[in-house]
Amino acid sequence: MGHGHSHHGGTVTATGRHRGVLTAALGISVTVFLVQVVGAVITGSLALLADAGHVLADAGGVALALGATLLAARPATGRRTFGWARAEILAAAINGLVLAGMGVYIFVEGIRRLIEPAPVEPGGMAVFGVIGLVGNLIGVALLYRAREASLNMRGAFLEVATDTVTSVGVLVAAAVIAMTGFTRADAIVSILIGLIIAPRAVKLLREAVNILLEAAPADVDLDKIRQHITELDHIVDVHDLHVYTVTSGLPVLTAHVVVDDSCFHDGHAPQLLDRLQTCLAGHFDVEHSTFQLELAGHADHEHATHS
């Protein structure tokens, strides 16, 4: 006997109501990324390339936030019962791999340039740095008012705001090189930006892999869930308890719940299911759950993996 929530229709989320702002911010981030890559090639500045990598990281974050709104609006089908929600996690994993590779390259190249400084054209570096700074400031202005609408919107705002800081770092390096000829400033700023990118890449990869492996969400305590369920009247035990995440913000729970024999005789099993759902939604923010109500001893007939 199961009970859960249907996902046949699309959902308009708080983030989805600001889709236009996210799209504009993404367009600006991609433009800044491309301009800075061209600038890095022209000027020989590793700091510009590192900043471009950081912008790429944040563009990926904005793209994921935007993608989540688009995926949430797509209805489920008979073959894809959760729609395309998991595609967001696949994109996050790919983004994390790209960022990790870029972070390692920037760090290694930065160390090499500290040992053997490469020529850098500070004037062009400053010009492209200003372009990046202006683009990031526009992005910050676009996202500022909507930053409290949802966690995705707040994350997108903080990502673009961080880009603004790294763009200032590029300009500082350009100024130091122009005034002193100390070209290692470019490498130092590059390494600092690389150190900012690396932890984010690792965190993104870890979260994506955990979701793909259907690990329990980090903020979910299975022991507490088990305790809350067994404290309800008429519930004897709970087993085969699984909690996993389909995509960001969509935890799913399934469990076999052993109940008193009376539940199947006096007709209050549906009310018990409602209480289970309310308990999980209220205490653990799990809106999608499925329960199998069973009598004591039923587990003896189940496959070993359900013990």
Side-chain angles (χ1 to χ4, degrees), residues 46 113-114 116-122 125 173 176-178 180-189:
L46 183 62
R113 290 197 181 194
L114 277 178
E116 300 177 4
V120 178
E121 204 284 291
M125 181 179 173
V176 170
I177 295 171
T180 68
F182 183 64
T183 56
R184 286 185 173 88
D186 179 69
I188 292 171
V189 170

Side-chain angles (χ1 to χ4, degrees), residues 46-47 50-51 54 99-100 102-108 166 187-201:
L46 183 62
D51 195 29
H54 195 265
L99 291 180
M102 183 168 288
V104 170
Y105 169 77
I106 290 169
F107 187 79
V108 172
T166 57
I188 292 171
V189 170
S190 303
I191 292 172
L192 291 175
I193 296 175
L195 290 176
I196 294 174
I197 293 175
R200 295 179 59 188

Side-chain angles (χ1 to χ4, degrees), residues 53-175:
H54 195 265
V55 170
L56 178 63
D58 294 338
V62 174
L64 289 174
L66 181 61
T69 68
L70 298 174
L71 294 171
R74 297 194 63 174
T77 66
R79 290 184 60 82
R80 294 185 175 87
T81 55
F82 282 99
W84 289 83
R86 186 55 66 86
E88 178 193 359
I89 305 306
L90 292 174
I94 294 171
N95 190 24
L97 287 172
V98 171
L99 291 180
M102 183 168 288
V104 170
Y105 169 77
I106 290 169
F107 187 79
V108 172
E109 181 65 12
I111 296 296
R112 188 186 71 79
R113 290 197 181 194
L114 277 178
I115 300 171
E116 300 177 4
V120 178
E121 204 284 291
M125 181 179 173
V127 170
F128 285 104
V130 168
I131 293 173
L133 178 61
V134 171
N136 289 323
L137 287 173
I138 294 173
V140 167
L142 284 172
L143 293 168
Y144 180 78
R145 289 187 178 180
R147 71 190 187 285
E148 299 298 340
S150 69
L151 287 177
N152 273 334
M153 292 302 299
R154 181 170 178 78
F157 170 76
L158 291 175
E159 286 162 354
V160 177
T162 305
D163 278 339
T164 305
V165 176
T166 57
S167 293
V168 172
V170 171
L171 292 176
V172 170

